Amino acid sequence: MLELLNGVDLPPAVAEALKKAPKITIPATRAELYELSLGPEGADTFEVLFQVPNNGVVKEADVVRCRNGIAVNYPEDYMRRRDPDCMRVADDRPTDKPRFKDKYGYDFASVKQETLDWLAEQELIVVPFKAGGLTYGSPSLAIVPANTAFFATALVDLQGWVTLDEIGPFTPRSILYAAPPFRHTHFDGRQVVVHDRTETLHEIYAYNLYPGPSAKKGVFSALLDIGETEGWLTAHASSVRVTTPYDNETVIMHEGASGGGKSEMCQDIRRQHDGRILLGTNVVTDEPYFINLAESSALAPVTDDMTLCHIDIQNESGKLVVADAEDGWFVRVDNMQTYGEDPLFERAVIHPDAPLVFFNIDGTPNATCLPWEHTLDSNGKPCPNPRVVIPRRMIQDVIGEPTEVDIRTFGVRQPACTRNGSSYGIMGMMHVVPPALAWLWRLIAPRGDKNPSIGETKDEKKTINSGGMVSEGVGSYWPFSTGTKVAAANLLLKQIVDSPRTRYVLTPNQHIGAYKVGFTAEWLTREYLARRGGGKIKADNLTPARCALFGYALKEVKIDGQMIRPTFLQPENQSQVGVEAYDAGAKIVTDFFKSELKQFLTDDLDPLGRQIIEVCLRDGTLEDYLELTPLYV
């Protein structure tokens, strides 16, 4: 089997480890790899066990064969979600992330060799994949113990199944290794993912078996590293083609921190039983505000989470061009509680054309794994991070080719803001912003209003639950980047400047002033922009927002002949808000931006970026931002 790797140019130490391994399996098909997930005997249940020095036999996972896939569950609650403090950087290349040596007091080189020595003693599975998708991705390799085949299956389902013959001779651009026992022997039981980078190779050492920080976000890290080297980036965003009832097509790309509405951008508008749409409910008076929409637009997803903005797919349109960086989606289904909440998705995962991989979802041998039956944590409550890996081809109407983006929206979670409880929840239903402000919002990527992120620290959770904001960082992909914030900021600014015909919009969720809106404001903004034909808005319908960071507010919004109440567009005019509470909220937002932006003022920052940040720091006006980057309407 080892001879199949003759065409792969491996680092000498890795080649030596593979040569020493007692057995190597390179699955010829995805079906073969899937069967290996249930052990060499292909049983209905399989325990992933490891002998750990001084700990005896440790169980890392249970795998159960269900009718529609395998259900993977971890004995420890902690292993059921990504630890936000698991990334360590082993090399000496530029980074703002914790370095391995600084954290542990010694070089990673010794642990790296121990890892390869340990792998050399195991029966192994080796699978190729393309980091960034089958078409534009970089040839890569994964090397994992044979009893963790479920992990390899999830990896290739996310990145796309490809064989060595299909790739041909190659030098891996990234290599992923899994060595679960090391979290016990070296890292006190914690999840640790170590990134070791050179100019031509990004190695990911995963010392855990939950795929979130490695097979998912670890590969994202490699893509960001590759893109930084080549001058492009992979955005943390969803995108969708919206086709109105009049057959107008508009592509919207939605960004924002976790909880900012990326998944929701690809979801249909939620309606009441009578067909009405609840835009918001006043938190003071309990007054609901409904609108009627006879027919909503058709949605065709383009990307779900990792949005490839590869240099080779850009064109002369003046718009950003995107493609999906993954072949499968790692869908979180915590919002699915009962049958019938998302019929199309339920049908796809209950009756797939190939068995799927489920995580943190209850599985009974030879029964159907149901996405709303979440594994219970040790406290008796459902795990907040149930997942299913679903191939893109199983998503209805999914678009597979590179697509030009008409509008980039940015979602922000907002708390309620009233006269008696001012907060930063003062953004109107939608704001049009010039590129300079679009860049600032992506630098900060604020998280707030009890954001249910599963990747937050205790301090962040405390801050958000007490009504504050925290920054998720550049483009909201910063948690996965191994580089520096300033380099990421420069690359994001270049991308924005190079796409002058893509428009930028801010849209809140959860609350608008005194109204609780959930994600309805985002959905209605999507409808409005699509019906305007690529997001075109007449200049005479724009008015400068009272807070300069919000760009323009709209004077009026009409959807399907129905006017949206103007106080949803300019919340300072709500009777329960008022100018005083609005201005107090604006100060919260502005002060937060100032405190976060100062860190970017280094000699490495793009001169235009420095000018934009300085406008914010001196409380500049909307006109000041427009002078730096004109608005395309």
Side-chain angles (χ1 to χ4, degrees):
M1 187 67 72
L2 189 59
E3 63 273 10
L4 294 178
L5 293 172
N6 287 341
V8 183
D9 184 13
L10 294 170
V14 177
E16 183 66 20
L18 292 178
K19 183 178 179 180
K20 291 180 179 178
K23 182 180 179 181
I24 292 179
T25 299
I26 304 174
T29 63
R30 190 266 185 186
E32 180 186 352
L33 177 59
Y34 174 84
E35 283 301 320
L36 291 171
S37 302
L38 289 148
E41 306 302 322
D44 289 339
T45 61
F46 181 65
E47 295 179 321
V48 180
L49 306 173
F50 289 98
Q51 183 71 43
V52 179
N54 302 320
N55 286 61
V57 177
V58 174
K59 184 198 294 187
E60 291 288 348
D62 286 295
V63 185
V64 174
R65 184 193 301 273
C66 299
R67 287 187 175 183
N68 52 335
I70 52 174
V72 179
N73 280 285
Y74 304 93
E76 301 172 52
D77 293 358
Y78 166 70
M79 291 303 299
R80 298 172 183 173
R81 60 216 62 155
R82 179 177 63 86
D83 187 327
D85 185 33
C86 68
M87 177 185 284
R88 302 288 180 260
V89 175
D91 56 77
D92 294 325
R93 294 175 67 79
T95 185
D96 288 334
K97 291 298 175 63
R99 293 190 186 273
F100 186 94
K101 185 174 183 178
D102 294 339
K103 178 70 176 180
Y104 303 107
Y106 58 92
D107 287 329
F108 178 65
S110 60
V111 182
K112 179 175 181 175
Q113 189 57 54
E114 288 180 60
T115 304
L116 294 176
D117 291 342
W118 181 82
L119 287 169
E121 298 171 352
Q122 313 302 311
E123 294 187 359
L124 300 175
I125 289 177
V126 178
V127 290
F129 66 95
K130 282 193 170 183
L134 294 176
T135 304
Y136 302 99
S138 300
S140 302
L141 208 65
I143 301 171
V144 305
N147 63 342
T148 67
F150 78 85
F151 180 89
T153 303
L155 169 69
V156 299
D157 282 357
L158 287 167
Q159 307 303 329
W161 173 264
V162 63
T163 65
L164 291 170
D165 286 341
E166 289 171 337
I167 296 179
F170 72 99
T171 300
R173 186 58 181 82
S174 63
I175 303 178
L176 171 63
Y177 313 87
F182 278 61
R183 76 179 182 96
H184 304 287
T185 58
H186 291 68
F187 306 116
D188 297 322
R190 308 297 295 181
Q191 297 179 37
V192 172
V193 178
V194 181
H195 296 259
D196 194 7
R197 305 164 299 167
T198 69
E199 290 186 2
T200 57
L201 177 63
H202 188 126
E203 293 181 290
I204 306 163
Y205 290 83
Y207 299 114
N208 70 293
L209 284 180
Y210 175 63
S214 50
K216 171 68 173 174
K217 299 306 187 186
V219 175
F220 199 167
S221 301
L223 283 177
L224 292 169
D225 178 30
I226 295 168
E228 184 175 329
T229 301
E230 299 179 357
W232 54 272
L233 61 81
T234 300
H236 193 201
S238 65
S239 53
V240 61
R241 186 183 67 196
V242 187
T243 304
T244 71
Y246 317 108
D247 292 329
N248 292 326
E249 293 184 351
T250 300
V251 175
I252 300 175
M253 174 176 163
H254 189 72
E255 296 155 277
S258 51
K262 290 185 288 294
S263 298
E264 286 76 13
M265 181 53 73
C266 295
Q267 295 176 359
D268 287 323
I269 297 177
R270 300 283 171 88
R271 294 177 180 264
Q272 304 295 298
H273 293 300
D274 60 5
R276 292 181 299 170
I277 296 170
L278 176 63
L279 175 51
T281 302
N282 192 295
V283 299
V284 178
T285 65
D286 285 332
E287 171 207 5
Y289 175 53
F290 297 96
I291 72 165
N292 293 298
L293 191 62
E295 187 178 0
S296 53
S297 297
L299 307 176
V302 181
T303 68
D304 170 67
D305 178 66
M306 290 164 55
T307 299
L308 192 73
C309 310
H310 199 286
I311 193 170
D312 288 347
I313 63 176
Q314 304 311 309
N315 58 30
E316 303 300 321
S317 67
K319 299 178 181 180
L320 180 66
V321 182
V322 301
D324 206 320
E326 300 177 289
D327 196 55
W329 295 351
F330 197 43
V331 181
R332 185 174 167 191
V333 292
D334 61 308
N335 62 344
M336 296 185 68
Q337 304 293 325
T338 59
Y339 166 79
E341 293 185 325
D342 192 339
L344 293 177
F345 180 79
E346 291 168 23
R347 183 183 307 156
V349 301
I350 291 174
H351 302 290
D353 58 28
L356 306 177
V357 184
F358 297 84
F359 292 93
N360 305 324
I361 296 176
D362 186 49
T364 300
N366 296 310
T368 301
C369 191
L370 301 174
W372 54 84
E373 293 187 348
H374 309 152
T375 298
L376 299 181
D377 279 349
S378 57
N379 59 9
K381 297 180 180 180
C383 174
N385 190 38
R387 301 272 185 170
V388 56
V389 182
I390 180 169
R392 296 181 80 256
R393 70 175 188 278
M394 296 186 189
I395 304 297
Q396 186 175 28
D397 298 326
V398 71
I399 295 174
E401 63 271 1
T403 304
E404 296 174 2
V405 174
D406 298 299
I407 307 160
R408 290 175 70 168
T409 54
F410 192 90
V412 184
R413 293 181 73 91
Q414 293 195 146
C417 177
T418 67
R419 293 180 184 274
N420 297 323
S422 61
S423 76
Y424 57 89
I426 56 171
M427 186 184 291
M429 188 178 97
M430 64 171 290
H431 289 272
V432 177
V433 295
L437 281 172
W439 181 65
L440 288 188
W441 280 95
R442 284 160 179 80
L443 285 194
I444 303 300
R447 289 205 297 115
D449 190 45
K450 303 178 180 61
N451 179 14
S453 175
I454 52 142
E456 63 188 352
T457 65
K458 291 181 180 179
D459 287 344
E460 288 175 338
K461 185 175 183 180
K462 182 178 180 181
T463 299
I464 288 173
N465 285 344
S466 61
M469 285 183 288
V470 298
S471 171
E472 192 158 279
V474 188
S476 81
Y477 61 72
W478 175 245
F480 326 121
S481 175
T482 57
T484 66
K485 285 188 176 181
V486 170
N490 288 339
L491 199 57
L492 183 58
L493 180 58
K494 180 180 184 301
Q495 181 195 69
I496 288 174
V497 170
D498 287 348
S499 307
R501 294 186 64 245
T502 291
R503 298 180 171 91
Y504 298 91
V505 169
L506 306 178
T507 182
N509 60 67
Q510 306 316 307
H511 297 88
I512 296 177
Y515 283 87
K516 181 171 180 57
V517 299
F519 289 97
T520 305
E522 176 182 316
W523 292 327
L524 289 177
T525 294
R526 181 183 65 195
E527 284 289 331
Y528 175 76
L529 292 171
R531 293 169 190 240
R532 299 297 300 176
K536 298 176 184 176
I537 298 174
K538 293 182 178 179
D540 59 7
N541 193 31
L542 298 175
T543 184
R546 189 173 179 86
C547 176
L549 289 174
F550 295 159
Y552 289 101
L554 271 69
K555 296 177 182 178
E556 65 177 37
V557 167
K558 181 189 291 186
I559 306 176
D560 202 20
Q562 190 169 188
M563 301 296 295
I564 298 296
R565 189 178 292 174
T567 53
F568 277 88
L569 309 178
Q570 300 177 49
E572 65 269 30
N573 296 326
Q574 292 180 16
S575 59
Q576 281 84 19
V577 179
V579 170
E580 185 176 344
Y582 181 99
D583 288 348
K587 186 177 188 305
I588 294 172
V589 175
T590 303
D591 288 349
F592 180 69
F593 267 60
K594 289 179 179 179
S595 67
E596 292 291 334
L597 289 173
K598 291 178 182 178
Q599 64 185 302
F600 292 96
L601 294 177
T602 71
D603 292 340
D604 295 326
L605 182 66
D606 184 292
L608 175 60
R610 176 176 288 274
Q611 289 180 284
I612 295 170
I613 290 176
E614 288 175 346
V615 169
C616 179
L617 295 180
R618 68 170 184 265
D619 294 316
T621 65
L622 176 56
E623 288 298 325
D624 293 329
Y625 292 109
L626 290 168
E627 286 181 8
L628 296 175
T629 57
L631 183 73
Y632 175 67
V633 294

